[in-house]
Amino acid sequence: MIDRRNLLGAFGATAAFGGFVPMAARAAGARDPRLVVIVLRGALDGLTAAPPIGDPDYAGVRAQFALPDAIPLDSMFSVHPSLSNFARQYKAGQGILIHAAASPYRDRSHFDGQDVLESGMTAPGHTDSGWLNRFLQTLTVDQRVNPRGLGVGAVTPLVIRGNAPVLGWAPSSLKPVDADLPPRLLSLYQASDPMLANVLTEAIATGKIANGYSGMTKGAGGGPGDPQTMIAMAQGAARLLAAEDGPRICALSFEGWDTHAAETARLKTLLGGLDGALGAFEQTMGPKWQDTAVLVVTEFGRTVAVNGTQGTDHGTAAAAFLTGGAVKGGRVVADWPGLKSSQLYQNRDLMPTTDLRAVAKGLMASLYDTPASALADKVFPDSAGVVPMTGLIA
C-alpha cells in the first residue's frame, strides 16, 4: 500500500512508487539489483578521461594534454586525476574501465549518435523508445523489480522513454522541460489516487521529489556541465533508488561534454562533476550500493589529434565506466587497437573494438537473468550477433 501520509508530509521517495517490490526481494541474502545508466551528452574524450599511458604512441599524439598526475589503474591505463572516486572504487574491486567502446553508430552527428546510443537501434530515426525502457517491459514480478523507471535530466533521457511508466525529475536549476509526471504514469495515479497524483505533480515541480532534496535553486549550480548539478541529480536519484519500494532502473543525462576548445580546463570540471556523482551514488544509497551497477556512456569519442583551439573534434570510440557494489571490478576491459595512424578509424579516431550493446546486455543478463533472445529481439533489435559480455557482475 502507498503510504500517502509520508508523501503528503515530506514528499518522501518511498511513497512515490508504492509497495510493488515482492517480499522475496526483502529476504536475507536475496539480490535486489539496481541498474543506473548515465549518458554524457556531447561526446567524451576517452584519451583524456582514461589515458593509455602504456601505449608507446600516446605521448606523441597527446603531448599537449599530458597528465602527469593521472591515477594509474594498471601498467597500460590510468584515469584523469579528477576521477578519484572512480579510481578508489576500481581499486576496491567495484569499478571497470571499458575502453575503445562505441555504439553501432559511425558518423559524427551528436543528435544521431545519441539517438542510436539511447534507442538501442542500429541506425537513427527508427524509434521513440529507449532500450532501457524496453528492458523494463521484459521484467516480471518474480524478478524482484519495480516495473517503473526513473529518468533524471532537463529532458527525460530517450534511453528510458517508452511504454513502461517512467517518473521524470530534474533539479530546479535545470529549468526542466518535461519534469512533470509523464502522461502514462500520471493517468495511472489519477485513476487510482487523484490526491496522490496532485501531490506528486507538485513535488516534482518544486524539486522536492528526491526525498526532500531541494538545494538546487537558480542561485546554486550552473545548469549543463555544472559539477554541483550533476551531484544533485545523482543524490536525488540515489534516494529514490535506495527506497525499499522505489524504482530499480534509472537513467540520468549529463549535458555539456562537447570539448572543441580549451578542453583541459573544461574536462577537468566535467570529470569532477561526474566523479562527484559516482561518489554521491555510493554514499547516498548506503547498503543498497552492494546491489547496484552504474554504467557511464557517451554517444561517441573524440579525435586522437588535438585541434587548433586546444580541443578535440567529433570522433568514434571512447571510454565507458562501470562501477557499483555489484560489479566485479578492479580491471580494464579493452581490446586496445593502438594509436598509430594506420590503426585509427579513418586515420583520425580511436578504433572501436568493444560494442556497448554487449556491455549493456551483459549487465541485464547477469543482474536480472534476462534471456539472450529477449535482449536481441526486444531490447536491442537486430543485435543477435552481439554476445552479452560475461563476468561484469560479482
Side-chain angles (χ1 to χ4, degrees):
M1 295 294 293
I2 294 175
D3 182 358
R4 185 192 291 111
R5 287 175 300 174
N6 180 30
L7 184 65
L8 290 171
F11 301 106
T14 59
F17 291 88
F20 181 88
V21 183
M23 289 302 294
R26 308 174 198 271
R31 169 163 279 173
D32 183 11
R34 275 83 167 160
L35 177 59
V36 178
V37 176
I38 299 177
V39 178
L40 308 180
R41 297 190 185 279
L44 172 67
D45 181 5
L47 295 183
T48 296
I53 54 176
D55 187 308
D57 298 301
Y58 168 71
V61 298
R62 283 302 182 91
Q64 295 145 289
F65 288 174
L67 293 170
D69 52 350
I71 305 170
L73 301 181
D74 59 21
S75 61
M76 179 66 180
F77 295 98
S78 61
V79 290
H80 193 283
S82 294
L83 292 174
S84 58
N85 280 322
F86 174 78
R88 175 181 51 79
Q89 292 162 354
Y90 176 97
K91 293 173 182 177
Q94 297 184 347
I96 297 176
L97 168 65
I98 304 164
H99 222 315
S103 77
Y105 183 69
R106 292 294 177 269
D107 293 319
R108 300 179 179 92
S109 161
H110 288 301
F111 181 83
D112 289 345
Q114 291 169 16
D115 185 295
V116 172
L117 173 72
E118 298 184 61
S119 72
M121 308 301 283
T122 56
H126 290 284
T127 181
D128 58 359
S129 69
W131 61 264
L132 204 53
N133 190 285
R134 295 194 298 274
F135 169 61
L136 269 170
Q137 297 172 52
T138 71
L139 297 174
T140 57
V141 172
D142 62 338
Q143 288 173 297
R144 304 189 302 277
V145 65
N146 187 319
R148 300 167 189 160
L150 172 66
V152 182
V155 176
T156 301
L158 170 61
V159 69
I160 202 165
R161 293 183 215 161
N163 291 327
V166 173
L167 178 66
W169 173 76
S172 58
S173 68
L174 290 179
K175 300 179 181 179
V177 176
D178 65 348
D180 56 338
L181 284 172
R184 286 181 295 275
L185 188 57
L186 181 57
S187 62
L188 182 153
Y189 285 128
Q190 286 174 334
S192 61
D193 194 333
M195 182 180 292
L196 176 61
N198 292 335
V199 172
L200 283 170
T201 302
E202 179 185 353
I204 295 169
T206 58
K208 296 177 181 177
I209 190 65
N211 203 16
Y213 185 84
S214 58
M216 291 307 301
T217 64
K218 291 181 181 179
D226 177 71
Q228 294 306 312
T229 300
M230 294 185 224
I231 294 169
M233 293 167 72
Q235 288 173 329
R239 288 190 179 98
L240 291 170
L241 289 163
E244 287 296 328
D245 49 1
R248 297 296 186 264
I249 309 294
C250 174
L252 299 90
S253 175
F254 290 170
E255 312 288 335
W257 293 77
D258 202 7
T259 53
H260 283 288
E263 179 177 300
T264 299
R266 178 68 177 157
L267 205 53
K268 178 180 179 181
T269 299
L270 289 164
L271 290 172
L274 171 62
D275 194 64
L278 297 180
F281 267 110
E282 180 182 10
Q283 181 177 21
T284 306
M285 294 192 70
K288 304 301 183 184
W289 177 251
Q290 294 305 313
D291 287 334
T292 299
V294 181
L295 177 63
V296 182
V297 294
T298 190
E299 66 261 33
F300 46 72
R302 308 194 71 84
T303 52
V304 171
V306 178
N307 65 27
T309 56
Q310 293 301 296
T312 52
D313 299 319
H314 298 175
T316 307
F321 302 92
L322 177 62
T323 189
V327 173
K328 187 178 180 180
R331 57 205 175 92
V332 176
V333 174
D335 179 8
W336 189 246
L339 294 174
K340 297 183 186 299
S341 180
S342 61
Q343 297 171 322
L344 304 182
Y345 181 73
Q346 296 182 347
N347 300 114
R348 54 169 274 167
D349 301 338
L350 182 64
M351 180 73 71
T353 57
T354 295
D355 194 320
L356 287 172
R357 294 174 297 176
V359 180
K361 282 185 175 185
L363 291 173
M364 291 180 281
S366 296
L367 285 171
Y368 302 95
D369 298 322
T370 308
S373 58
L375 294 172
D377 296 338
K378 297 179 181 179
V379 181
F380 290 103
D382 302 319
S383 69
V386 180
V387 179
M389 188 176 290
T390 60
L392 297 175
I393 299 300

